[in-house]
Amino acid sequence: MGGATAALDYDAELMLRVRDGDGASFAALLNKHRQPVVHFLCRMVQNQAVAEELAQEVFLRVYRSRSSYEPSARFTTWLFRIATHMALNALRDGRKERGQESLDDVSGELPGRQIPDGRPTVEQSMAAGDRLGEVRRAVAALPGKQRAAVLMHKYGEMEYSQIAKALNCSESAVKSLLFRAYETLRARLAHLA
Amino acid sequence: MSRIECEENAELLPAYAAGRLDEESRAKLERHLETCPACRESVGGQRAVWDALGAWEAPPVSAGFDRRLYARIAREVPWWERALRPFRPALIRQGLPIAAAACLLAMAGMAVHRSAHVRPAPRNAAAQLEPLRPEQAESALEDMELLHEFNGLVRADSTGPAM
């Protein structure tokens, strides 16, 4: 916990330096958070190209917000709040696009593929039908907020309070979201146990 | 086992399955699990989900990610800010001393410049050059012609009876 606090302070300090025009501090923040953000988005939208595009937007927003940045919350929380917002918007837009496309194309699209990019990735092809594929489909079938909460909890190792701030809801709402999400996953993946 | 007790403990299950429950809550939940087969089953299932999720590794970030990002940032930054960027950390760190030094240099430069352009007072007013008038020029030319003629006469005299 102490380490996390120290890391928080360091990130916020770096961001304040970015605010003062220090490009090297932005590079340090990017280097530290690039992979967690891309991986979070990759699991959210389940398309690497789209995830990287969204991650670019996330870091661009961080850069654009530098002049007004105030360290009122943990930097990581702020960062994932932006990332979650981007991902949920992309999923919503993807659903709209899919709704329009479905008039012409009703070929069996994976439930996990929220934003179709025209072809399955290598990873998607190899994972089809196996355990990983089932896990991915089960996660993709969760509602957006539940999915984000699970991914931040499982892979981001974030505390309930951080997830709550990132999702703009109460801590008790996060507990409820997570319980329902894990119960849904348990039911869908019961045969894997 | 009461349904209320199960509901109270339900929201602790994800953190318990993840091994992130504090000691007090964990002890309370484990007491409940000893007597509640439904919650034990739920915990077992959630642990299996937790492990299955652990096998899902995201692909590595592509190599050109940073380059693409910086290119996009560069398109947003005005050219003068890009040009000043290498100096900005130093300017911020040493801004005050540099500004003070620059002010001093500027003041010294102005003083030197001013002193270099102040004309010294003329020692003798007569020494000042006055513009040449046309009549003065004509007079000077006539003097030169007279002197030339005079020189010719002198030369003729000296070369006449040379025997």
Side-chain angles (χ1 to χ4, degrees):
Chain A
M1 195 60 205
T5 308
L8 151 74
D9 292 338
Y10 184 59
D11 286 349
E13 193 180 313
L14 285 175
M15 192 58 205
L16 288 173
R17 286 187 210 161
V18 175
R19 188 179 70 179
D20 293 336
D22 182 9
S25 293
F26 182 77
L29 283 171
L30 175 63
N31 200 40
K32 182 176 177 184
H33 297 286
R34 179 199 310 109
Q35 183 168 303
V37 168
V38 172
H39 284 183
F40 169 74
L41 290 165
C42 209
R43 291 185 176 109
M44 277 296 284
V45 300
Q46 303 207 8
N47 179 308
Q48 190 180 1
V50 174
E52 289 200 4
E53 180 60 27
L54 291 174
Q56 296 248 325
E57 285 294 329
V58 170
F59 285 108
L60 262 181
R61 285 196 182 195
V62 168
Y63 187 80
R64 286 175 189 150
S65 308
R66 67 194 184 284
S67 55
S68 59
Y69 175 74
E70 291 296 336
S72 55
R74 290 186 182 190
F75 177 81
T76 313
T77 306
W78 180 57
L79 186 66
F80 274 84
R81 184 173 181 149
I82 298 171
T84 305
H85 180 73
M86 302 289 300
L88 293 177
N89 279 350
L91 292 174
R92 190 193 57 221
D93 296 345
R95 273 197 296 275
K96 278 184 194 165
E97 283 176 23
R98 226 173 29 257
Q100 288 168 353
E101 285 171 7
S102 65
L103 293 172
D104 304 321
D105 177 16
V106 289
S107 58
E109 187 176 287
L110 289 176
R113 213 173 119 219
Q114 297 296 322
I115 302 173
D117 64 354
R119 60 190 169 82
T121 62
V122 174
E123 191 193 0
Q124 279 174 330
S125 302
M126 291 177 70
D130 68 5
R131 185 185 172 94
L132 177 58
E134 290 198 44
V135 170
R136 290 175 49 155
R137 282 190 288 274
V139 170
L142 293 173
K145 266 194 165 183
Q146 285 188 28
R147 194 186 317 180
V150 165
L151 297 179
M152 282 188 270
H153 183 242
K154 167 65 185 170
Y155 303 102
E157 298 187 0
M158 290 167 72
E159 296 166 10
Y160 289 157
S161 58
Q162 284 181 280
I163 299 171
K165 282 180 185 162
L167 293 179
N168 198 24
C169 62
S170 67
E171 234 178 283
S172 61
V174 168
K175 286 180 186 174
S176 174
L177 271 178
L178 282 173
F179 175 70
R180 280 184 280 136
Y182 283 120
E183 279 299 287
T184 304
L185 291 175
R186 183 170 75 91
R188 288 187 181 144
L189 301 173
H191 59 287
L192 296 180
Chain B
M1 188 51 52
S2 73
R3 183 184 165 82
I4 292 172
E5 199 175 337
C6 288
E7 284 177 0
E8 281 177 357
N9 286 300
E11 289 181 351
L12 299 176
L13 294 181
Y16 182 72
R20 295 186 201 158
L21 207 54
D22 63 82
E23 200 171 334
E24 187 184 343
S25 302
R26 184 165 52 83
K28 181 187 164 198
L29 179 62
E30 284 178 346
R31 280 197 300 275
H32 171 74
L33 291 175
E34 284 172 9
T35 57
C36 182
C39 285
R40 273 205 305 276
E41 189 188 340
S42 183
V43 165
Q46 291 209 8
R47 278 191 173 141
V49 167
W50 190 259
D51 292 341
L53 288 173
W56 182 11
E57 289 186 10
V61 182
S62 64
F65 184 87
D66 287 10
R67 184 177 42 77
R68 293 199 306 274
L69 177 64
Y70 283 122
R72 291 177 72 171
I73 287 174
R75 284 198 291 273
E76 298 197 348
V77 179
W79 65 267
W80 61 84
E81 201 174 318
R82 287 202 297 276
L84 284 174
R85 186 175 292 155
F87 309 103
R88 288 191 72 166
L91 282 172
I92 291 162
R93 238 186 352 265
Q94 303 166 355
L96 195 59
I98 287 174
C103 283
L104 281 173
L105 275 174
M107 287 167 69
M110 284 169 67
V112 168
H113 182 72
R114 185 172 295 168
S115 65
H117 282 74
V118 171
R119 287 184 181 177
R123 290 176 190 166
N124 184 359
Q128 290 185 59
L129 289 174
E130 287 181 4
L132 195 63
R133 292 191 300 273
E135 57 270 26
Q136 284 179 309
E138 284 175 13
S139 168
L141 284 170
E142 284 170 6
D143 290 343
M144 285 174 72
E145 283 174 9
L146 281 172
L147 186 61
H148 183 70
E149 287 171 10
F150 177 72
N151 284 341
L153 288 172
V154 170
R155 212 175 286 120
D157 288 348
S158 60
T159 54
M163 312 248 160

